[in-house]
């Protein structure tokens, strides 16, 4: 072997020895790295059975508001977001044409009523007396002329004229005595009713130039401005009642049997930092949504302020009458594993090491969270120091196991 080869071999041998010593020292150091942690057993609590569901908030009442008559808008009195009460004036259309039509209808109504009153009253006493006098005068004339005709002292043609006048006077007197005919009174009454209906219709049209709120709530939409011409029936406002607010959620078919009318519910909104609101189940749907196989459940939630707004995403827990046993641990004891799954570290006293265990996390229970699966209840779970440990870490119990 040449000198250069021997020199190279010695260098490699020395590096290998140094590397081996370094690895042994590192392994020994890792074996000696003990992390202090605190552990405790999961708490066992008895709580009401609950169903979790997601959905969104919506108005408990919603009304699209439109003018019933068309015209030019002269006033708009509310803005989007403003709270209004039932009957409050929202906007107004130019009323001149409708007021003129109403006045004309009122005049026609007054005339028709006068005709009806005249028909009901019949012939006035003075008119009856005048008819009687005319009849008696014609009758006297008729008797005298008849006497002359019978004695051939009066031509028959002249007598026919007197006889016709006598009969006409008699008819007028008879009619005056009988009063107004039934059909005439009925016609007058019908005309009065028609005029009254027309006046009422014009009064409504005039009133419809003032648009008022049909319900109390907040203005969710405004689509009209002064000077704009609107058509009858076109929605110009939307009013949403959000106190109470209605939270619509979808409950899976497998859990809908646990939901009952009037059941208590707890609502939280992610956009409100998880703030919770109490509510009650108001409506349970009877038909499943075909694609998701979920049933619609509507929860009424008191909402002074308002705080919950229409369209907000909401999470709901609906409580049932049954009681169930649950395991709970502090939320900070749960850490994600490399795949992002919820994990807790369980302490093994015989090895003095901790190992990760995947768990299924349920809803909050007081200040802790429910563990639906993954723990049996007898384990010692790391509740402090979990950020400094990993799978198989050597630990010591700070303060002892609880």
């Amino acid at each position: 072997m040449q000198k250069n080869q021997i020199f190279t071999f010695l260098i490699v041998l020395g590096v290998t020895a140094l590397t081996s010593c370094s690895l042994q020292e590192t392994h020994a150091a890792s074996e000696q790295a003990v992390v202090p942690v605190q552990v405790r057993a999961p708490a066992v609590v008895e709580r009401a059975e609950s169903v979790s569901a997601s959905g969104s908030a919506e108005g408990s009442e919603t009304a699209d508001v439109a003018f019933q008559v068309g015209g030019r808008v002269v006033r708009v009195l509310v803005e989007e977001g403003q709270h209004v009460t039932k009957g409050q004036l929202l906007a107004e259309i130019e009323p001149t044409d409708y007021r003129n039509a109403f006045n004309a209808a009122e005049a026609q109504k007054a005339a028709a009523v006068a005709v009806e009153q005249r028909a009901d009253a019949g012939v006035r006493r003075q008119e009856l007396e005048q008819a009687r006098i005319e009849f008696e005068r014609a009758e006297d004339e008729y008797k005298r002329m008849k006497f002359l005709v019978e004695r051939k002292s009066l031509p028959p043609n002249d007598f026919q004229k007197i006889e016709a006048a006598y009969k006409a006077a008699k008819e007028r007197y008879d009619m005056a005595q009988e009063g107004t005919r039934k059909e005439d009174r009925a016609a007058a009454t019908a005309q009065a009713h028609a005029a009254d209906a027309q006046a009422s219709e014009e009064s409504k049209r005039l009133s419809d130039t003032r648009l008022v709120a049909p319900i109390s709530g907040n203005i969710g939409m405004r689509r009209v401005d002064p000077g704009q011409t609107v058509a009858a029936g076109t929605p110009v406002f939307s009013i949403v009642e959000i106190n109470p607010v209605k939270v619509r959620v979808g409950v899976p078919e497998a859990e809908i049997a646990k939901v009952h009318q009037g059941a208590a519910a707890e609502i939280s909104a992610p956009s409100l930092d998880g703030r919770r609101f109490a509510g009650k189940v108001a409506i349970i749907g009877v038909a499943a949504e075909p694609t998701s196989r979920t049933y619609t459940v509507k929860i009424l939630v008191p909402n002074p302020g308002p705080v919950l707004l229409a369209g907000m995403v909401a999470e709901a827990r609906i409580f049932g009458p049954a009681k169930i046993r649950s395991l709970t641990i502090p939320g900070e004891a749960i850490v994600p594993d490399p795949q992002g799954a919820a994990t807790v570290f369980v302490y093994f006293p015989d090895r003095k090491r901790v190992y990760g265990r995947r768990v299924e996390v349920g809803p909050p229970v007081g200040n802790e969270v429910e563990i639906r699966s993954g723990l049996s209840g007898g384990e010692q779970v790391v509740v402090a120091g979990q950020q400094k440990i990993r799978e198989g870490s050597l630990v010591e119990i700070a303060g002892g196991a609880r």
Side-chain angles (χ1 to χ4, degrees):
M1 184 179 289
Q2 297 180 355
K3 291 181 179 182
N4 289 339
Q5 292 175 331
I6 295 171
F7 181 75
T8 302
F9 175 76
L10 292 173
I11 291 175
V12 171
L13 184 63
V15 170
T16 302
L18 290 173
T19 303
S20 177
C21 292
S22 176
L23 290 174
Q24 290 177 357
E25 290 174 1
T26 301
H27 180 69
S30 64
E31 288 289 338
Q32 294 174 359
V34 180
V35 181
V37 297
Q38 291 183 0
V39 297
R40 54 158 275 195
V44 180
V45 297
E46 189 178 72
R47 63 171 183 83
E49 180 182 46
S50 65
V51 174
S52 297
S54 299
S56 61
E58 61 184 34
S60 55
E61 285 187 274
T62 302
D64 291 330
V65 188
F67 282 103
Q68 298 303 302
V69 295
R72 183 175 62 86
V73 177
V74 293
R75 289 200 300 166
V76 178
L77 304 175
V78 294
E79 298 290 341
E80 287 188 358
Q82 180 178 338
H83 185 270
V84 297
T85 57
K86 183 177 180 179
Q88 181 176 335
L89 181 64
L90 307 178
E92 191 172 8
I93 282 178
E94 170 57 50
T96 302
D97 292 342
Y98 297 101
R99 184 177 291 110
N100 291 339
F102 169 69
N103 292 338
E106 280 289 291
Q108 292 178 352
K109 174 184 174 181
V113 169
V115 171
E116 181 187 26
Q117 290 175 344
R118 179 178 178 181
D120 288 339
V123 180
R124 289 182 295 179
R125 182 178 57 81
Q126 295 89 338
E127 292 175 333
L128 178 61
E129 182 64 17
Q130 183 178 2
R132 184 188 66 78
I133 293 172
E134 290 178 356
F135 166 67
E136 290 180 351
R137 182 183 299 120
E139 184 181 30
D140 182 66
E141 182 72 10
Y142 169 75
K143 289 179 178 179
R144 286 190 295 104
M145 294 301 108
K146 184 179 180 182
F147 178 77
L148 294 176
V149 167
E150 289 174 350
R151 285 166 176 70
K152 310 297 182 181
S153 300
L154 181 69
N157 290 339
D158 293 340
F159 177 72
Q160 289 177 355
K161 295 179 182 179
I162 294 172
E163 185 178 29
Y166 162 70
K167 291 180 179 180
K170 186 176 185 303
E171 287 294 329
R172 287 194 294 272
Y173 181 51
D174 290 343
M175 290 177 58
Q177 286 181 312
E178 292 177 1
T180 307
R181 291 182 299 179
K182 292 182 179 180
E183 53 270 31
D184 291 338
R185 287 198 296 270
T189 299
Q191 286 183 336
H193 288 169
D196 182 64
Q198 183 62 32
S200 178
E201 177 65 19
E202 295 301 337
S203 175
K204 181 182 181 300
R205 289 168 63 82
L206 177 60
S207 175
D208 286 341
T209 61
R210 293 167 53 87
L211 186 62
V212 299
I215 63 172
S216 296
N218 292 75
I219 301 295
M221 174 274 293
R222 167 184 160 173
R223 294 178 181 169
V224 65
D225 292 299
Q228 183 178 345
T229 299
V230 297
T234 302
V236 293
F237 295 103
S238 175
I239 301 177
V240 182
E241 174 58 272
I242 53 177
N243 185 24
V245 71
K246 187 183 295 180
V247 176
R248 178 196 294 262
V249 298
V251 176
E253 181 178 357
E255 296 189 290
I256 191 62
K258 301 176 184 177
V259 180
H260 301 280
Q261 189 88 15
E266 185 179 77
I267 307 299
S268 63
S271 59
L272 300 176
D273 297 326
R275 180 175 172 182
R276 294 184 176 88
F277 304 84
K280 285 188 177 182
V281 173
I283 298 172
I284 302 173
V286 295
E289 203 281 325
T291 56
S292 64
R293 302 305 302 169
T294 59
Y295 289 81
T296 296
V297 174
K298 297 181 181 180
I299 304 167
L300 280 182
V301 182
N303 187 34
V307 179
L308 283 169
L309 303 180
M312 279 187 173
V313 174
E315 301 292 332
R317 286 182 64 202
I318 304 170
F319 299 99
K323 297 291 183 180
I324 60 175
R325 175 182 175 273
S326 298
L327 300 178
T328 67
I329 61 174
E332 57 269 19
I334 301 170
V335 294
D337 67 6
Q339 289 73 40
T343 306
V344 297
F345 284 102
V346 177
Y347 173 64
F348 288 78
D350 55 339
R351 302 179 188 178
K352 299 188 182 301
R353 296 180 183 274
V354 293
Y355 298 91
R357 185 178 297 180
R358 287 186 176 183
V359 293
E360 181 185 356
V361 180
V365 180
N367 295 324
E368 299 190 351
V369 293
E370 177 187 1
I371 301 300
R372 288 182 169 172
S373 64
L375 296 176
S376 63
E379 301 89 344
Q380 293 292 318
V381 178
V382 177
V383 295
Q386 62 272 24
Q387 294 82 8
K388 301 176 182 179
I389 57 178
R390 55 188 174 81
E391 183 75 7
S393 291
L394 185 65
V395 299
E396 65 176 358
I397 306 304
R402 294 182 290 166

